[in-house]
Structures are given as C-alpha cells and as structure tokens.
Amino acid sequence: MRRRRFTQTESLQQRLASFAEAARAEATKLSPGRERDALLKKARQADTASHLDDWARSKGLQAPK
C-alpha cells in the first residue's frame, strides 16, 4: 500500500492562524458551554503551536557546541 503524499500550499504558520481564526469565529456563534470552551481551547493550542514554531525556527536558537 502506497502512502498518499502531497505538498502543502500554505505554511504551518498560515494553517495554524486560519484554524485558530475559524475556531474563534465558530465559538462566537455558540452559547457558553462545553463546545464553545473546547473550540476556544483548540484556538489557544493553535496559537501556542505557532509560537513554538516561531521559537524553533528563530535564528537565535542554535545547536549546542
């Protein structure tokens, strides 16, 4: 069985940002409750992942010598 492979058209940063934005937009449509809290949590996690990706790709981060 062969794996399906495809090239991402958007960067990870863009995908995370659009996911977080969509999750927040969907959360505003919901009344307070578990579903809304879960969407907001996923949006925060996407933001955190974006910040971690920034940190990992930063020029200041160097391998130990």
Side-chain angles (χ1 to χ4, degrees), residues 25-65:
E26 187 66 28
T28 60
K29 297 176 186 176
L30 297 174
S31 58
R34 288 184 181 182
E35 290 180 50
R36 181 179 177 176
D37 291 343
L39 280 174
L40 292 174
K41 181 178 180 179
K42 287 182 181 185
R44 283 192 306 273
Q45 288 174 339
D47 288 337
T48 301
S50 177
H51 291 301
L52 286 173
D53 186 56
D54 280 342
W55 175 75
R57 293 177 180 264
S58 71
K59 302 262 187 224
L61 186 64
Q62 297 179 0
K65 294 183 179 180

